[in-house]
Amino acid sequence: MVTIKSKREIELMREACRVVALTYKKLEEVIRAGMTTWELDQIAEKTMRDLGAIPAEKGYDIGIRGVPKFPASICVSINDEVIHGIPSKSRVIKEGDIVSIDTVALKDGYNGDAARTFVIGNVPKETQRLVDVTKQAFFEGIKYAKPGNRLGDICHAIGEYVHSQGFSVVREFQGHGIGREMHEDPGIPNYGKAGRGIKLEPGMTLAIEPMVIQGKPNILELDDGWTIITEDGSLSAHYENTILITEKEPEILTIL
């Protein structure tokens, strides 16, 4: 069931999302070659806690037997890692890497969720284009995030744009509704048919998140039960924001 948020709930969502935006502001200031992904994790957790929130991903349980709870405060995925990379004291960020970070902050009972891909130093033009296209795909999608449109209109726009640029979208993972729970209805794939799905209404809060692969769309899961990589070793990028459906244009809650 898709929840319509009250005015009070929307204000709480705004605050949780503001924490996420401020966390990314801090991460953008500090991320550099030579630091470990564990250092990024510690900085992100401190930032969220200093702002009165907790990192919702820490201890997250997907409910699959044999898969441990997520052990860190943020997901950090590098190069061919698509999503859910686990921060490590031994994983050092290098010049030329692209680093995707997914962050969820929980404050006063409500979640804010966003993802960014950072470029470390100089990268080939095609790598930069992958990152740029992934971000633009989000904005292509939310052009349709208006009352009366269908969820499929957003999904279709994202997929068509990515494919028009010669890249692939991840099909096994998707965006989602968000609020009291990190993952709420509806599921929001990055492909689909226009005119299909639920009708969008003011008060819906959605996490829209293009996950784009430079090569073929096939993915693999590592033995840690979390990290998803591209099967062909090609690069992947991730961009996400929590948005609010309003009476007119969508409001992006996780941008300052």
Side-chain angles (χ1 to χ4, degrees):
M1 178 180 176
V2 180
T3 61
I4 304 298
K5 307 300 189 296
S6 67
K7 288 183 178 179
R8 173 61 177 159
E9 288 177 307
I10 289 169
E11 288 308 310
L12 292 170
M13 288 285 296
R14 283 199 180 99
E15 182 57 25
C17 289
R18 186 181 75 88
V19 171
V20 172
L22 288 169
T23 300
Y24 277 115
K25 183 174 183 292
K26 181 64 176 178
L27 292 173
E28 186 173 16
E29 290 171 357
V30 301
I31 192 169
R32 56 176 173 76
M35 71 187 310
T36 66
T37 54
W38 179 255
E39 288 177 275
L40 283 178
D41 180 87
Q42 296 302 291
I43 291 166
E45 178 168 1
K46 184 178 187 304
T47 302
M48 284 185 266
R49 292 191 185 279
D50 286 350
L51 292 166
I54 62 172
E57 290 172 321
K58 193 168 189 177
Y60 186 73
D61 188 351
I62 58 174
I64 297 177
R65 188 171 182 176
V67 177
K69 295 179 181 180
F70 194 77
S73 299
I74 58 176
C75 300
V76 186
S77 308
I78 299 177
N79 296 335
D80 66 334
E81 296 170 348
V82 183
I83 49 174
H84 302 162
I86 299 174
S88 167
K89 293 179 180 178
S90 63
R91 188 68 186 272
V92 178
I93 297 168
K94 298 180 178 63
E95 182 84 10
D97 283 343
I98 58 172
V99 183
S100 297
I101 301 177
D102 194 347
T103 301
V104 186
L106 175 64
K107 186 173 183 182
D108 297 326
Y110 286 84
N111 291 277
D113 188 1
R116 301 285 185 267
T117 297
F118 297 96
V119 174
I120 309 301
N122 296 316
V123 297
K125 288 184 178 179
E126 194 66 3
T127 300
Q128 183 65 59
R129 194 170 77 85
L130 170 68
V131 175
D132 294 342
V133 165
T134 304
K135 180 177 180 178
Q136 185 58 35
F138 165 85
F139 289 98
E140 294 296 322
I142 69 164
K143 290 177 181 178
Y144 298 90
K146 300 176 183 179
N149 285 345
R150 298 279 181 177
L151 186 66
D153 298 333
I154 297 174
C155 305
H156 176 78
I158 291 171
E160 286 300 297
Y161 175 72
V162 171
H163 292 141
S164 76
Q165 299 299 309
F167 299 135
S168 304
V169 295
V170 175
R171 301 181 74 88
E172 293 86 348
F173 294 89
Q174 59 186 354
H176 49 90
I178 185 169
R180 283 190 173 275
E181 301 296 329
M182 185 192 304
H183 297 112
E184 298 183 351
D185 289 336
I188 309 169
N190 291 306
Y191 64 94
K193 293 185 177 181
R196 301 285 182 88
I198 63 167
K199 188 173 287 187
L200 301 175
E201 299 179 40
M204 290 180 175
T205 47
L206 309 172
I208 311 292
E209 51 177 319
M211 292 161 271
V212 180
I213 296 175
Q214 201 171 46
K216 295 179 180 179
N218 310 69
I219 59 173
L220 298 171
E221 182 181 274
L222 297 186
D223 291 341
D224 62 23
W226 285 100
T227 308
I228 302 298
I229 64 171
T230 62
E231 186 179 65
D232 60 8
S234 59
L235 299 177
S236 180
H238 189 189
Y239 186 84
E240 175 186 21
N241 283 302
T242 299
I243 69 165
L244 168 69
I245 304 296
T246 74
E247 295 287 351
K248 296 180 180 179
E249 298 294 322
E251 180 183 348
I252 303 174
L253 300 178
T254 42
I255 292 179
L256 294 174

